[in-house]
Amino acid sequence: LEISSIAKINLSQLLDKQQAIDLLSTAYEQIKGLNDKLLQQQLLIFLVQQSKENFPSMTWNALQELSSLPELKKHPRQYSQLFGYQSHLYFHRGKLEDALALIQRAIFIAQQEPDLLMLWEWHQGKILTSIDKQAALSAYRRAESHLQKIRSSIPVRYVDGRSSYREMLSPLYMQ
């Protein structure tokens, strides 16, 4: 069931929008039926990560399901991701104050997770760009500082002379 859900989520990235929604919906229902709550948290987060750009309603449903899991607070990484990805949705809806409050909560919870801190500070910088340029710059600097802590653990691939590292992280430096 776990592998089936992961496969469906991954496959959804290759399909047209309606087929992707159908596959993500099936995966979502499978994930909701899992008895292993930690695995359920992890798979819901994976679903959110894969759906957040193109399927906000699916993302919202998965985040609501995630927030209802009683054991979530015992897992700071997943708990932080809940707020970070909620912030992402609010940001794209133009609700900057709500997005900022959520990302600040995600940052607070993720203190032992430098990869998440990099993402959340980066996201906070994007939010603050419209509110306070100086605070945005500070957030981007903190994101870059967190990046330096994890830089050596990021796998790098070269395709046609281009580095995956550069493609993945250049937006941090170009914002």
Side-chain angles (χ1 to χ4, degrees):
L1 192 59
E2 168 191 351
I3 293 172
S4 172
S5 297
I6 292 170
K8 285 179 175 104
I9 294 167
N10 281 329
L11 183 59
S12 73
Q13 304 303 303
L14 304 173
L15 302 173
D16 69 51
K17 196 168 188 162
Q18 187 55 52
Q19 289 175 316
I21 281 285
D22 292 344
L23 210 51
L24 288 170
S25 296
T26 302
Y28 175 65
E29 291 303 320
Q30 286 178 331
I31 293 166
K32 282 180 20 180
L34 291 172
N35 292 326
D36 182 336
K37 297 307 176 189
L38 180 57
L39 179 60
Q40 189 178 36
Q41 289 174 21
Q42 293 165 337
L43 289 173
L44 283 168
I45 287 167
F46 182 62
L47 177 72
V48 166
Q49 290 168 333
Q50 300 304 312
S51 66
K52 66 183 169 59
E53 297 302 327
N54 297 315
F55 306 104
S57 62
M58 172 63 63
T59 303
W60 184 256
N61 290 341
L63 288 170
Q64 290 301 106
E65 183 69 25
L66 184 62
S67 70
S68 73
L69 297 176
E71 299 291 311
L72 184 63
K73 289 182 182 181
K74 293 181 181 177
H75 304 281
R77 182 175 184 84
Q78 287 91 325
Y79 197 42
S80 174
Q81 288 173 308
L82 168 69
F83 294 112
Y85 292 125
Q86 283 178 334
S87 174
H88 179 85
L89 289 178
Y90 278 94
F91 175 74
H92 287 288
R93 290 181 179 170
K95 297 181 176 186
L96 299 183
E97 289 181 18
D98 292 332
L100 185 59
L102 287 164
I103 203 62
Q104 288 170 341
R105 192 165 181 191
I107 289 168
F108 179 77
I109 296 166
Q111 290 306 303
Q112 302 303 312
E113 305 286 345
D115 61 319
L116 289 182
L117 287 171
M118 182 204 63
L119 291 174
W120 301 156
E121 291 285 7
W122 182 1
H123 183 63
Q124 181 173 237
K126 289 195 302 192
I127 296 167
L128 288 169
T129 298
S130 304
I131 301 168
D132 180 345
K133 302 270 190 233
Q134 202 59 35
L137 184 58
S138 294
Y140 286 130
R141 285 184 179 139
R142 288 188 302 274
E144 200 275 334
S145 172
H146 295 300
L147 170 61
Q148 295 311 315
K149 294 174 188 170
I150 63 168
R151 185 179 211 140
S152 64
S153 65
I154 298 174
V156 178
R157 290 188 349 220
Y158 289 93
V159 178
D160 296 328
R162 296 174 65 188
S163 163
S164 60
Y165 181 85
R166 182 178 178 161
E167 284 193 34
M168 179 175 56
L169 296 171
S170 65
L172 174 60
Y173 294 101
M174 303 298 182
Q175 298 260 327

